[in-house]
Amino acid sequence: MSELKDKIRADLKTAMLAKDKGRTGTIRMLLAAIQGEETTGAKHEATDEDILKVISRESKKRRESAQVYTDTDRPGLAGTELAEVAVLEEYQPAQLDEAGVEKLVDDAVATVAAEQGIEPGEVSMKQMGQVMKAATAAAAGQVDGKRLSTAVRARLA
C-alpha cells in the first residue's frame, strides 16, 4: 500500500476520534475517489503518483464548485467547498512560486529542444504539447495544470 494512502487513512481515524465532521467527510470522499481510481479499468493498487492526481482532480472540482457558488451568491456553500480544498491541499506537495514555474518551463523547453536538436529559442507553439508533457512530468503535482499551461504559452509566444 502506498505511503500517502496510509497517511490518509491514519488522518481519517484521527479526524473521527476528534469528531471533526467536516474533515472526516472530506477524507472519506478522498478515499472513495482513490478506491474508484483503483477499480477503474484494470484493478491495481494506486501509487502515490496516482493518489496525487486524484487529489489534484478533486481539489479542482471543489474550487470550480466554490466559484459557481460565489457567482450565484451562496457564500455558505462556497465556504464549505473551500474548506474541503484546504483539507485536500494538506496532502499535496508544496506549490511552486512564479520563479519556480518559470524555471520548470525553461527546463522543459530546453529538454524538448535537446530532443529535437534545435536551440531553445527555436521551440515554438508547434511543440507546446511536448513542452507541456515534459513540464507536467517534472512538476509532479507542484503546480496546477492551468497555471502551467499559461506559463508555457507565455514562454512560447
Side-chain angles (χ1 to χ4, degrees), residues 59-123:
S59 291
K60 182 179 178 186
K61 286 180 190 177
R62 303 285 171 307
R63 277 193 207 92
E64 290 171 352
S65 294
Q67 184 62 44
V68 169
Y69 289 139
T70 301
D71 293 346
T72 57
D73 198 30
R74 299 185 75 183
L77 293 173
T80 302
E81 294 291 331
L82 293 175
E84 289 182 358
V85 169
V87 172
L88 293 172
E89 286 179 345
E90 293 175 18
Y91 300 107
Q92 289 185 310
Q95 297 295 297
L96 294 174
D97 60 356
E98 290 305 315
V101 172
E102 287 178 19
K103 182 178 180 340
L104 183 81
V105 171
D106 289 342
D107 292 346
V109 168
T111 300
V112 170
E115 288 173 357
Q116 296 188 358
I118 58 176
E119 292 295 317
E122 296 175 16
V123 177

Side-chain angles (χ1 to χ4, degrees), residues 2 9-10 14 18 26 47 51 59 61 71 74 78 80 83 98 104 110 129 139-140 145-146 149 153:
S2 80
R9 286 181 193 241
T14 303
T26 303
T47 63
I51 293 172
S59 291
K61 286 180 190 177
D71 293 346
R74 299 185 75 183
T80 302
E98 290 305 315
L104 183 81
K146 185 175 182 180
S149 175
R153 283 182 195 276

Side-chain angles (χ1 to χ4, degrees), residues 1-20 23-24 27-28 30-31 34 51 87 90-91:
M1 188 179 299
S2 80
E3 191 175 305
L4 185 55
K5 190 173 177 181
D6 288 340
K7 181 181 182 335
I8 293 169
R9 286 181 193 241
D11 288 351
L12 175 62
K13 290 177 187 173
T14 303
M16 289 171 69
L17 289 172
K19 297 186 187 330
D20 185 345
R23 187 172 177 80
T24 300
I27 295 173
R28 281 184 173 156
L30 177 58
L31 286 170
I34 292 168
I51 293 172
V87 172
E90 293 175 18
Y91 300 107

Side-chain angles (χ1 to χ4, degrees), residues 36-63:
E37 180 72 22
E38 290 175 337
T39 57
T40 302
K43 275 191 163 184
H44 66 286
E45 182 74 24
T47 63
D48 282 350
E49 184 178 313
D50 294 334
I51 293 172
L52 287 174
K53 287 178 185 176
V54 170
I55 294 169
S56 178
R57 184 175 58 231
E58 295 298 322
S59 291
K60 182 179 178 186
K61 286 180 190 177
R62 303 285 171 307
R63 277 193 207 92

